[in-house]
Amino acid sequence: MILPIYVYGSGVLREKAVELDMVTADKEEISRLVADMFETMYNADGVGLAAPQIGKSIRLLVVDGGECSEAFPELKDFKRVMINPVVLEESDEDAVFAEGCLSVPNIHCDVIRPKSMRVKYFDENFNEREETFDGFGCRMVQHEMDHLDGNLFTDHVTPIRKKMIMTKLHNIAKGKVSSYYRTKLVK
Ligand code: NI
């Protein structure tokens, strides 16, 4: 089922999402939610989606880099479901990538983040995993993990750039959004 995507200005995007209890969580319910998130993401031509973006304040995200495999061949099979992800280690070295977000339509900005990181998380089968991410795959995961703490990529841009996008952001928060996928704004 394709779900509406909550946009900039929605309260849920600013909440700190809660951990899923891996003992009591309903596996079937989570796998339905994950399927809906992938469907919603593909429909909007996105490469990542975090649960708060569909109005669920839980620590769950999905990424699929297949779409960008022309520019980043290493991402051809890069598809992950991550529950309760925690950063274990980050590189001192930073990387710059242009980011965009389905919750912030039609805005792209360069953002600096650590180049690589090691993350602990539970996968779609509720198995605990540890994985090191690098390059654009790392960036996709970092962007989505940020959503779980109520942060958006526009929080990280330079003050000058922020000034330039301010009007656009205000318009999105006022409900003036133009996107070909369904959006939702709940303050
Ligand atoms: Ni995003």
Side-chain angles (χ1 to χ4, degrees):
M1 187 174 49
I2 296 168
L3 305 166
I5 295 175
Y6 284 68
V7 292
Y8 187 94
S10 295
V12 69
L13 295 178
R14 291 307 193 179
E15 286 172 23
K16 189 173 169 67
V18 295
E19 281 201 350
L20 266 184
D21 184 327
M22 302 311 291
V23 179
T24 59
D26 183 338
K27 251 189 183 175
E28 264 181 45
E29 195 186 315
I30 296 300
S31 73
R32 264 197 306 273
L33 181 61
V34 164
D36 286 347
M37 284 174 67
F38 274 121
E39 200 182 342
T40 300
M41 182 185 92
Y42 295 137
N43 176 65
D45 290 316
V47 295
L49 194 70
Q53 293 182 275
I54 47 127
K56 301 248 184 234
S57 196
I58 51 175
R59 302 187 84 77
L60 162 67
L61 65 88
V62 300
V63 289
D64 186 346
E67 277 279 309
C68 354
S69 59
E70 236 174 70
F72 304 98
E74 72 276 15
L75 295 181
K76 193 172 153 282
D77 301 311
F78 186 71
K79 182 176 175 179
R80 300 283 186 281
V81 173
M82 301 172 71
I83 303 169
N84 299 344
V86 175
V87 174
L88 301 174
E89 241 183 277
E90 279 176 337
S91 63
D92 293 329
E93 197 184 339
D94 289 332
V96 183
F97 283 106
E99 293 187 26
C101 180
L102 296 177
S103 294
V104 192
N106 309 317
I107 296 179
H108 292 86
C109 303
D110 279 347
V111 179
I112 301 170
R113 301 185 195 262
K115 183 179 172 292
S116 65
M117 65 175 177
R118 188 157 183 80
V119 178
K120 182 177 79 172
Y121 64 96
F122 290 89
D123 66 15
E124 60 272 41
N125 300 312
F126 286 22
N127 292 320
E128 192 167 15
R129 297 177 58 163
E130 260 190 53
E131 189 172 357
T132 299
F133 299 100
D134 197 3
F136 194 65
C138 177
R139 178 54 59 99
M140 287 162 59
V141 175
Q142 286 167 325
H143 175 109
E144 299 313 327
M145 283 183 70
D146 230 6
H147 277 296
L148 307 183
D149 290 322
N151 299 321
L152 298 169
F153 79 98
T154 48
D155 302 338
H156 302 296
V157 305
T158 60
I160 292 171
R161 185 80 182 122
K162 184 91 187 209
K163 237 180 174 171
M164 288 166 67
I165 61 172
M166 218 47 196
T167 309
K168 277 188 179 179
L169 289 176
H170 281 316
N171 281 335
I172 299 172
K174 279 190 277 185
K176 293 183 202 159
V177 186
S178 101
S179 63
Y180 53 88
Y181 50 88
R182 204 148 58 95
T183 57
K184 194 166 177 172
L185 175 66
V186 180
K187 301 214 174 188

